[in-house]
Amino acid sequence: MLRHLSADDPRFKTLTFHPGLNILVADTTGASAETDSRNSAGKSSMIELLHFLLGSSADKNSLPAHPKLRQTTFALHLDWPGLPEGLTVERAGATAGTILLRPLPAGVGSDQLDLGDGQVTLPEWQTLIERDLFNLPAEHPGITGRSLFSFLMRRVGSHAFNEATRSFARQANAEAATSLAYLLGLDWRLADRYRELQAREAVSKQLRKAASDPVLGRIIGQTAELRGQIAIAEHRVAEIQRRIENFRVVPEYDNLRAQADQTDQRIRQLRNDDVIDRRNLADLERAVDETVDPDLAYLETAYAELGVVLGDQVRRSFDDVRAFHGSVVRNRRQYLDEEASAIRSRLQEREAEREQLGDRLAATLRTLNEGGALDALTTLQQILAQEQAQLGALRHRFDAAQALESNRREIKQQRVGLQQEMETDIEERRPIVNDAVVLFAQYAQALYGANREAYLRIGPGETSLKIETHIASDNSGGIGNMVIFCFDLTVAVLAHRNERAPDFFVHDSHLYDGVDERQLARALTLAAEVSRQEGLQYIVTLNSDELDKAIRRGFDPTGHVLEQRLTDSFDEGGLFGFRF
């Protein structure tokens, strides 16, 4: 239970709480004008401070971070398991990340001494609250101590009085139901699986939206297209792996490659020389054929026709000339034959050399084809790594595309399965569910009579554990708020019985806005009785005129109204002792 709420500013109105019903009253003063309001008296501020001291985050818009308050250290003294004298927590807006605990509960951390005063971080304080006040296990996905406190101390600023089964506006059904399942004693892990499915569905919707985009869609692709790309990539990887497996590192690979290049160049040069020699040989052979002895017989005929008779001396001269020319022809033919023979000889030599060089080049190329240099093997391995990486990326894209295309069907199937599991679990926990249903109905009938239809329904839904609250309306004011009252009282009782929550819960006066004064009186009377019977502490803030209405309708405030009262006095009547 909560004991004291205080601050190191002497103007602050220290609040002392007691077991059972606690009513913090905001009065009007004799000097109050009609335009004065008690909205700034500090009723809602008290709840904000309780949240602040019990582990809420403190951003720049939070109440303790206000420039007029951020240097003030607030303190809350409360009962704590294992500490007979209780625990005092101190925290200031200026140093909101550090919390002073007196004494320090056991097991805070390996670097903290047990049972001594000490400072802890906000996450450490939140962990202590979850462990000691809510008895949460070490691993509790989907639930936090803060989410549970949001149902036990509803905040006006979070619009927590709009709906019984939500603690803030637009809270996801699955998230709220998981926290309520824990407080009511149901299988919260099963309820949390709805939240996980919702998260998957949200991601799936975003991915489907991205996949339909002409640019972003290329990142994922279609399964049919990706199958073909994967097949090609697998073939490339297999081919490179085969080449690596058969690869043999050749010593002096570079030298062999240079020799092969030189041999090939020599063969090319020999072929070029053959072309020139064959052309020259053809010319020589043609010249030999054209080289013949001169024919002088026509001279005698020509002279005879002219009537000239050649003498012996002239005939001998002709014979000498004929012999000379014959000698010249023979010499030329011999020279041409010798040149032709030399060319044929060179052609044969080059042919033999080409055959030798060809055999040598073939052997060298076989060696090079069978293996390669070490850097070539390294290059192949690098190419293999790149191809494997591309193949892996394609497979990931394929998995994503396949999951995307089948995700909706899988989620639907899992929802059906989860609904069946939840149905089975609720049936197995039927006594717990019946307790909640009966308590809610009893509390509603205590406010509106035995004939008023009222129910609490708990069952498996399609998207979350389904929790419905209802009290039939007769057009009386504030019935929706009384639904929240009955539901919160039911949750607080069952959570305390099952040791899943601390023994206190708090309501702001906004809960009773518009509530018929008869139901207001009955609600306060019921809260006082249930708190006494269950060993609970119920803290509620009320304006004095609302309390007067309840008293006129039969509520007995004796022992329930806190000694410290707030007023609408402009200077010092509020909770903080000054206006800001």
Side-chain angles (χ1 to χ4, degrees):
M1 294 187 182
L2 307 182
R3 295 305 181 190
H4 304 285
L5 177 63
S6 60
D8 61 0
D9 186 337
R11 296 173 293 178
F12 185 82
K13 304 295 190 301
T14 298
L15 302 179
T16 300
F17 306 106
H18 54 260
L21 175 62
N22 292 252
I23 303 176
L24 176 61
V25 179
D27 291 319
T28 56
T29 64
S32 299
E34 292 183 0
T35 56
D36 289 338
S37 170
R38 284 163 291 176
N39 291 337
S40 58
K43 302 187 303 296
S44 297
S45 296
M46 178 200 71
I47 297 176
E48 289 299 318
L49 289 179
L50 291 178
H51 274 286
F52 177 67
L53 290 166
L54 291 172
S56 69
S57 59
D59 57 31
K60 62 181 181 180
N61 297 320
S62 64
L63 179 65
H66 191 281
K68 297 291 186 179
L69 297 176
R70 67 188 313 271
Q71 298 301 329
T72 302
T73 298
F74 298 97
L76 176 66
H77 184 66
L78 70 161
D79 293 343
W80 197 267
L83 299 178
E85 301 300 322
L87 172 71
T88 298
V89 51
E90 297 181 1
R91 190 182 183 194
T95 57
T98 302
I99 294 92
L100 176 64
L101 302 180
R102 296 187 287 110
L104 194 65
V108 176
S110 58
D111 58 341
Q112 297 281 5
L113 296 176
D114 293 343
L115 303 179
D117 298 351
Q119 291 182 339
V120 298
T121 64
L122 179 59
E124 288 175 332
W125 176 224
Q126 291 171 340
T127 299
L128 278 173
I129 290 173
E130 292 169 350
R131 185 195 71 184
D132 293 349
L133 295 187
F134 290 101
N135 291 317
L136 282 169
E139 298 294 332
H140 45 84
I143 299 181
T144 65
R146 296 302 315 153
S147 66
L148 298 176
F149 261 138
S150 64
F151 283 103
L152 298 180
M153 299 189 299
R154 293 179 183 263
R155 305 164 90 168
V156 175
S158 300
H159 306 285
F161 295 105
N162 292 352
E163 188 176 349
T165 56
R166 298 177 193 262
S167 62
F168 59 86
R170 297 184 179 180
Q171 184 179 24
N173 288 333
E175 178 184 347
T178 300
S179 296
L180 290 173
Y182 181 80
L183 293 173
L184 291 171
L186 302 176
D187 189 342
W188 59 273
R189 289 184 176 86
L190 203 56
D192 185 57
R193 284 170 54 188
Y194 280 107
R195 181 187 60 84
E196 295 174 351
L197 281 178
Q198 280 189 340
R200 282 186 55 192
E201 189 171 31
V203 172
S204 178
K205 288 180 179 178
Q206 292 297 322
L207 288 175
R208 287 198 299 271
K209 183 178 179 180
S212 63
D213 185 271
V215 177
L216 295 178
R218 299 176 185 174
I219 299 175
I220 300 175
Q222 302 295 324
T223 54
E225 178 184 354
L226 290 171
R227 281 194 186 96
Q229 296 178 8
I230 288 173
I232 295 173
E234 288 176 339
H235 177 74
R236 287 199 303 266
V237 168
E239 180 64 22
I240 296 172
Q241 285 176 332
R242 183 191 62 77
R243 291 175 60 186
I244 291 176
E245 290 172 357
N246 296 331
F247 195 91
R248 180 171 59 87
V249 176
V250 177
E252 299 184 352
Y253 179 87
D254 292 336
N255 291 337
L256 288 175
R257 186 172 59 184
Q259 292 176 13
D261 292 341
Q262 293 174 358
T263 303
D264 183 65
Q265 291 175 1
R266 178 59 181 165
I267 291 173
R268 292 174 182 273
Q269 183 61 45
L270 292 174
R271 287 174 178 168
N272 293 336
D273 292 343
D274 281 353
V275 171
I276 296 172
D277 280 348
R278 284 194 177 93
R279 186 179 299 117
N280 292 335
L281 180 61
D283 292 340
L284 289 173
E285 289 175 344
R286 187 167 54 253
V288 169
D289 292 339
E290 294 175 353
T291 302
V292 296
D293 292 334
D295 184 10
L296 300 178
Y298 75 93
L299 289 176
E300 291 187 16
T301 303
Y303 279 110
E305 290 178 356
L306 291 175
V308 178
V309 178
L310 297 177
D312 292 336
Q313 184 66 32
V314 173
R315 289 182 180 276
R316 282 195 300 271
S317 296
F318 280 150
D319 291 338
D320 291 341
V321 171
R322 184 182 293 110
F324 172 77
H325 280 288
S327 176
V328 170
V329 170
R330 286 192 301 273
N331 290 338
R332 176 175 175 78
R333 184 174 291 155
Q334 181 180 359
Y335 169 77
L336 293 175
D337 287 340
E338 290 176 354
E339 286 297 317
S341 297
I343 290 174
R344 291 188 186 95
S345 178
R346 289 199 301 270
L347 289 172
Q348 291 176 356
E349 291 174 357
R350 284 198 290 265
E351 179 67 24
E353 185 179 358
R354 277 203 312 274
E355 289 180 2
Q356 293 177 356
L357 293 175
D359 293 340
R360 185 191 305 170
L361 179 60
T364 303
L365 291 177
R366 281 196 301 271
T367 302
L368 293 175
N369 289 333
E370 289 175 357
L374 182 60
D375 57 349
L377 176 60
T378 303
T379 301
L380 278 177
Q381 291 172 336
Q382 291 174 348
I383 294 173
L384 176 61
Q386 293 173 356
E387 293 292 340
Q388 287 176 331
Q390 292 178 2
L391 176 59
L394 286 173
R395 285 172 174 168
H396 283 303
R397 289 176 58 195
F398 178 80
D399 291 341
Q402 193 174 46
L404 181 60
E405 294 175 5
S406 62
N407 199 38
R408 184 181 301 178
R409 181 178 64 257
E410 292 177 357
I411 290 177
K412 184 176 181 179
Q413 292 173 346
Q414 290 180 13
R415 286 194 188 283
V416 173
L418 183 55
Q419 283 181 266
Q420 294 173 346
E421 290 184 62
M422 184 62 74
E423 180 69 38
T424 301
D425 180 73
I426 290 175
E427 190 61 35
E428 292 175 351
R429 299 173 191 261
R430 180 57 57 186
I432 296 176
V433 175
N434 290 343
D435 285 345
V437 171
V438 170
L439 282 178
F440 181 84
Q442 289 178 345
Y443 297 155
Q445 290 170 0
L447 300 184
Y448 293 98
N451 295 326
R452 181 66 60 90
E453 179 189 13
Y455 61 78
L456 170 64
R457 291 176 179 171
I458 301 175
E462 182 178 350
T463 60
S464 70
L465 172 65
K466 196 171 183 179
I467 302 176
E468 295 179 309
T469 56
H470 173 75
I471 298 176
S473 174
D474 60 354
N475 296 322
S476 61
I479 193 167
N481 287 6
M482 288 299 93
V483 170
I484 295 176
F485 170 82
C486 293
F487 182 71
D488 286 358
L489 189 58
T490 300
V491 170
V493 168
L494 292 178
H496 178 54
R497 287 180 183 178
N498 296 320
E499 298 183 346
R500 292 192 173 197
D503 53 2
F504 61 87
F505 68 111
V506 184
H507 277 153
D508 188 273
S509 61
H510 288 81
L511 177 67
Y512 299 99
D513 288 346
V515 175
D516 185 276
E517 58 188 44
R518 294 169 297 177
Q519 277 68 52
L520 173 60
R522 292 172 183 175
L524 294 176
T525 301
L526 176 63
E529 181 63 21
V530 171
S531 297
R532 182 188 63 80
Q533 292 176 350
E534 299 290 340
L536 289 172
Q537 182 185 58
Y538 176 49
I539 300 172
V540 60
T541 64
L542 278 180
N543 293 328
S544 56
D545 52 351
E546 295 297 323
L547 179 60
D548 291 340
K549 292 178 184 178
I551 293 174
R552 288 197 300 270
R553 287 291 184 174
F555 171 66
D556 182 4
T558 304
H560 303 310
V561 178
L562 298 184
E563 180 179 354
Q564 183 63 261
R565 298 167 76 102
L566 308 178
T567 71
D568 55 5
S569 173
F570 184 81
D571 293 329
E572 58 184 20
L575 178 64
F576 299 98
F578 65 98
R579 295 291 179 92
F580 53 89

